Amino acid sequence: MSAARLLFAVHWLVCAQLLVGTEAQSWSPFERKTLYEEVELSASEAKKVQYAAGWSTQSDTELLVEIKNNLPGPLACHGATVHLISGATVSKSFLPRLYVPNAASRQGAVGGVKKGQMKDFSVLCHCWKKPGDTACGNPSSK
């Protein structure tokens, strides 16, 4: 191998290491520093969120789940689980997560749930809190 090729290979490896090193991976120009953490809802917070489910007139196999947020901060809803009368379970992840601002409602859909076959359902939602806070907050506000 010639000296020029060896020097090029070493230079390339050093540059690649700099690009994929841990410091380079942990920084992003789009990253926004926040003190908030996404956490599960407490029992009292979960009571302030209203859930409803039903079928649209266009489909009797797609369950629409509506989430109404009565908390002071937004919600991130990750998915829904539907328990059928037959004992089977249908789960659906919301990708991207369903973002529900405070004092607003949003709908997500769970396919494969035929009308009249649902026993009950649940939705997994989180909110954001600063460490040590007991109330959900808004990480977008300053």
Side-chain angles (χ1 to χ4, degrees):
M1 181 178 249
S2 72
R5 283 186 174 181
L6 182 60
L7 184 59
F8 175 77
V10 169
H11 183 264
W12 186 85
L13 286 172
V14 168
C15 289
Q17 180 62 31
L18 288 173
L19 288 174
V20 297
T22 56
E23 290 144 14
Q25 287 180 347
S26 64
W27 180 83
S28 167
F30 305 106
E31 183 178 338
R32 186 171 158 203
K33 299 292 181 193
T34 179
L35 297 175
Y36 287 88
E37 297 173 350
E38 187 175 332
V39 297
E40 292 183 32
L41 299 177
S42 68
S44 62
E45 290 164 341
K47 289 178 182 177
K48 295 178 183 175
V49 179
Q50 295 174 322
Y51 304 98
W55 288 264
S56 73
T57 55
Q58 290 85 18
S59 175
D60 67 346
T61 60
E62 186 169 73
L63 179 68
L64 299 178
V65 177
E66 183 176 74
I67 300 117
K68 183 174 183 194
N69 182 5
N70 296 314
L71 295 171
L75 294 174
C77 297
H78 295 259
T81 300
V82 180
H83 299 281
L84 305 177
I85 294 170
S86 67
T89 301
V90 177
S91 294
K92 165 74 169 141
S93 294
F94 300 136
L95 294 174
R97 292 180 289 177
L98 193 61
Y99 178 81
V100 187
N102 63 313
S105 297
R106 296 290 185 267
Q107 288 184 347
V110 181
V113 180
K114 188 156 177 61
K115 191 173 187 176
Q117 299 301 310
M118 181 179 79
K119 181 178 176 183
D120 61 17
F121 73 98
S122 62
V123 181
L124 176 63
C125 295
H126 291 166
C127 72
W128 286 270
K129 293 181 184 178
K130 288 182 181 178
D133 280 359
T134 57
C136 295
N138 189 346
S140 298
S141 64
K142 303 219 175 205

